[in-house]
Amino acid sequence: MPAIISFASVSILCPFFILLLKKLGLTQPIRKELPADHQLKKGTPLMTGCIFALGVVIALLFNHSPLMVFLAITYFLFGLIGFWDDFWKASRQDPGGISGKTKLVFQFLFTGVLLYYMVSILGIDTNIQITSSFVIPMPMIVYIVIVGLFVIGSANAINFTDGMDGLLGVVCIPTYFFFYYITDSTEVQIFCLIMIACVLAFLIYNIYPAKAFMGDTGSLAIGGSLAFLAVHEKVEIVIPILFFVYFAEQLSVIMQVSYFKMTRKRIFRMTPIHFHFGLKYGWSENMIVIVFGFVSWLCTFMCLIYWRFFLNQ
């Protein structure tokens, strides 16, 4: 029921929100180095991901337990960083947004506080679970530092994936499905179902050619929530596979920048890597979205198999 209400609310209200953003002039500025077809997207409403907050509020109305409140706070804190960045971009028509250092400072601050709350209040243990019978115990401080780096890295990797019409929406649905399937928590199931419903409703307006972009407001919030779901469900071991598409996007940027600094040459035509497939191989945006979505589902099923036979015993 909350998922159905969320889907209906987002799909019905999104056109009105798009009109409001256009009226306020909060539209997407485009980097000059992006391909010509992306230059045509200038003027598309940005930060439409704000509407996902409606689904989170609906989740709280249906279940306001401490865990659901924590999931909502996590979503809103990361979304707040994204909103600041989007508002800067849209209001000033500056594709650079706020500085990367500023975003990282707030991400580290929020992540540290949230992880401490998880360990001290929610009672999440500080072990890294490899299998059901083999865990690596860690002191709380070490655990918070290591997992904190993982959370921030994952959130930003997921943010990188939001670069084509419908791409992040299609890729993140199977990831939310994974957590919905494996959890024993009603709160996590409700939260994941609502996020899937919101993303599906948003895709009506975000698939190619997109009428709206979720912006960092949506993508960072999705990234933060998915990373913390992995911590809560103690499945850190499968994250390299489950988040494969996101990490591939992030790693392509790191490799490109590092290699260019050393050799003044490029490995890829353009990064994040989804641009490379379009520029080098001529793939359409829809083709890239379909392939990346398929890979995300494949990785999800691989992780479900590992969870079933090695973690859930």
Side-chain angles (χ1 to χ4, degrees), residues 14-303:
C14 209
F16 299 100
F17 192 46
I18 291 171
L19 289 174
L20 176 62
L21 290 172
K22 283 184 176 180
K23 187 175 181 179
L24 295 174
L26 299 175
T27 58
Q28 174 74 62
I30 304 294
R31 289 184 293 152
K32 294 180 180 179
E33 63 269 23
L34 289 179
D37 56 338
H38 282 263
Q39 299 301 325
L40 300 175
K41 299 179 182 183
K42 185 176 181 179
T44 304
L46 187 61
M47 57 201 291
T48 317
C50 288
I51 204 165
F52 294 160
L54 182 60
V56 179
V57 171
I58 292 172
L60 286 170
L61 292 175
F62 272 83
N63 187 308
H64 47 272
S65 69
L67 176 55
M68 183 63 82
V69 171
F70 173 80
L71 292 173
I73 291 174
T74 298
Y75 183 91
F76 284 129
L77 286 179
F78 277 84
L80 182 63
I81 300 172
F83 177 86
W84 184 13
D85 192 39
D86 283 340
F87 189 79
W88 182 288
K89 292 176 184 176
S91 61
R92 300 170 182 243
Q93 286 299 291
D94 172 18
I98 61 176
S99 70
K101 289 182 179 179
T102 301
K103 286 190 283 189
L104 282 175
V105 166
F106 282 96
Q107 287 174 16
F108 272 105
L109 175 63
F110 292 160
T111 299
V113 172
L114 290 168
L115 282 175
Y116 180 79
Y117 181 84
M118 287 187 80
V119 173
S120 60
I121 306 300
L122 295 181
I124 301 296
D125 66 66
T126 58
N127 300 327
I128 301 295
Q129 188 170 1
I130 308 301
T131 67
S132 58
S133 58
F134 177 53
V135 297
I136 301 175
M138 290 186 179
M140 184 175 70
I141 297 300
V142 175
Y143 178 83
I144 289 177
V145 170
I146 293 176
V147 175
L149 291 173
F150 149 74
V151 168
I152 293 168
S154 298
N156 284 290
I158 293 169
N159 187 39
F160 274 124
T161 309
D162 182 35
M164 283 188 171
D165 297 356
L167 181 57
L168 179 55
V170 169
V171 171
C172 78
I173 287 174
T175 316
Y176 276 116
F177 173 78
F178 173 81
F179 293 116
Y180 165 79
Y181 185 86
I182 69 167
T183 188
D184 293 324
S185 166
T186 302
E187 295 92 336
V188 172
Q189 286 188 326
I190 293 174
F191 183 83
C192 290
L193 274 182
I194 283 179
M195 288 309 302
I196 290 172
C198 288
V199 171
L200 283 173
F202 178 70
L203 281 173
I204 297 172
Y205 309 97
N206 187 235
I207 57 174
Y208 183 85
K211 299 178 180 66
F213 298 141
M214 70 170 70
D216 286 5
T217 308
S219 59
L220 261 182
I222 288 173
S225 68
L226 286 174
F228 272 98
L229 283 171
V231 176
H232 180 267
E233 296 300 320
K234 304 305 297 179
V235 291
E236 298 95 339
I237 187 64
V238 303
I239 291 307
I241 298 176
L242 185 65
F243 287 9
F244 175 79
V245 173
Y246 314 125
F247 289 152
E249 296 272 33
Q250 185 180 51
L251 185 60
S252 68
V253 175
I254 295 172
M255 291 172 60
Q256 183 91 319
V257 172
S258 301
Y259 189 74
F260 185 79
K261 286 182 177 179
M262 290 188 296
T263 66
R264 312 308 295 177
K265 297 180 181 179
R266 291 178 171 84
I267 302 173
F268 306 103
R269 291 285 297 274
M270 183 175 286
T271 57
I273 200 171
H274 54 255
F275 290 121
H276 176 76
F277 288 98
L279 291 172
K280 185 172 179 63
Y281 302 109
W283 289 12
S284 66
E285 285 196 42
N286 285 335
M287 181 67 175
I288 294 169
V289 170
I290 290 170
V291 171
F292 278 45
F294 174 80
V295 173
S296 184
W297 275 110
L298 180 62
C299 292
T300 295
F301 286 125
M302 290 171 63
C303 291

